[in-house]
Amino acid sequence: QVQLVQSGAEVKKPGASVKVSCRASGYTFSSYYLHWVRQAPGQGLEWMGIIKGSGGSARLPQKLQGRVTMTRDTSTSTVYMELSSLRSEDTAMYYCVRDLLIGDKNLNGMDVWGQGTPVTVSS
Amino acid sequence: DIQLTQSPSFLSASVGDRVTITCRASQDISSDLAWYQQKVGEAPKLLIYTASTLQSGVPSRFSGSGSGTEFTLTISSPQPEDSATYYCQQLYSYPFTFGPGTKVHVK
């Protein structure tokens, strides 16, 4: 079955970096985009960016440009999201999510979610 | 960036009542809108995409409508298991912003 399995919980100090992995299985990795979404405790959802399984650069919101790097390893069907210069406001659950592909049209929604990776930033 | 607002922020409904949530976009987003349901402690779940298409496996009591700047999610006969927070998201242009959410309690 289609599955996204993320790496485990992280605790980091302010100023450090964190790298979260997301391994895909059960579908053709190169045919789909993957999004990253985060949710701070008790807060709403924040879209962090998107990367295509087959290649190309990630698209990131301006507020995260310079701090977020998204990469992929097609040999293992894994995407990575690295967030640098961590601050307390980055404490959140981080999700990788598969884009919904309808026919040959991408970007319809997000249909398969990883289990989430909690990241805590604390001194 | 495109801003999304949702109303109401919170609503309480009885089983069998009709529930309607509105999502408004700061500019025309055509039909590039999705709705998600998130229960406490769980990842969100896709309910509706392209404004009105029901995702596979989602009960038919959920429906979506609208285009342009105004959209609605309707639960025709809500059940206690529909108690959750509902988010809209636009996929018209980057960044793909979310609405702030509507918390629904069904009693």
Side-chain angles (χ1 to χ4, degrees):
Chain A
Q1 74 282 21
V2 176
Q3 207 171 1
L4 299 174
V5 178
Q6 298 181 223
S7 49
E10 301 270 9
V11 179
K12 297 290 183 181
K13 294 195 182 302
S17 297
V18 67
K19 191 170 186 177
V20 180
S21 68
C22 170
R23 182 162 187 158
S25 62
Y27 71 94
T28 303
F29 179 75
S30 60
S31 297
Y32 288 79
Y33 288 88
L34 277 163
H35 305 252
W36 287 90
V37 174
R38 70 178 176 178
Q39 186 171 36
Q43 302 301 308
L45 303 172
E46 179 182 6
W47 185 81
M48 296 184 68
I50 190 171
I51 188 167
K52 192 167 185 182
S54 60
S57 300
R59 292 295 299 264
L60 307 172
Q62 190 169 12
K63 70 172 280 191
L64 293 176
Q65 289 177 9
R67 286 214 299 144
V68 169
T69 304
M70 292 181 186
T71 55
R72 77 185 68 71
D73 181 345
T74 54
S75 68
T76 60
S77 300
T78 302
V79 295
Y80 300 90
M81 188 284 298
E82 184 170 19
L83 180 60
S84 62
S85 302
L86 288 167
R87 34 217 194 215
S88 58
E89 310 89 90
D90 296 317
T91 294
M93 182 71 79
Y94 288 76
Y95 294 100
C96 68
V97 199
R98 193 185 73 164
D99 185 65
L100 176 63
L101 177 65
I102 303 295
D104 60 357
K105 181 182 179 296
N106 296 293
L107 310 181
N108 299 289
M110 306 184 295
D111 65 341
V112 179
W113 292 67
Q115 84 276 20
T117 296
V119 174
T120 302
V121 182
S122 174
S123 55
Chain B
D1 297 359
I2 295 173
Q3 309 300 319
L4 297 179
T5 58
Q6 289 183 234
S7 59
S9 300
F10 173 82
L11 72 88
S12 182
S14 298
V15 169
D17 282 352
R18 186 180 188 86
V19 166
T20 300
I21 300 168
T22 299
C23 176
R24 290 187 175 88
S26 59
Q27 65 185 74
D28 189 335
I29 59 169
S30 186
S31 296
D32 295 335
L33 188 99
W35 289 96
Y36 302 88
Q37 174 195 65
Q38 186 178 31
K39 297 182 180 179
V40 173
E42 298 182 8
K45 172 187 170 183
L46 177 66
L47 298 176
I48 302 280
Y49 61 92
T50 57
S52 60
T53 307
L54 195 67
Q55 170 68 343
S56 175
V58 174
S60 59
R61 61 181 179 272
F62 292 91
S63 64
S65 64
S67 67
T69 61
E70 187 156 331
F71 303 84
T72 59
L73 173 70
T74 301
I75 313 173
S76 60
S77 183
Q79 302 300 303
E81 61 265 30
D82 300 332
S83 294
T85 301
Y86 293 82
Y87 295 93
C88 56
Q89 182 197 24
Q90 65 83 17
L91 296 105
Y92 181 79
S93 68
Y94 295 119
F96 293 158
T97 44
F98 288 95
T102 295
K103 191 169 185 177
V104 174
H105 176 65
V106 182
K107 55 187 188 297

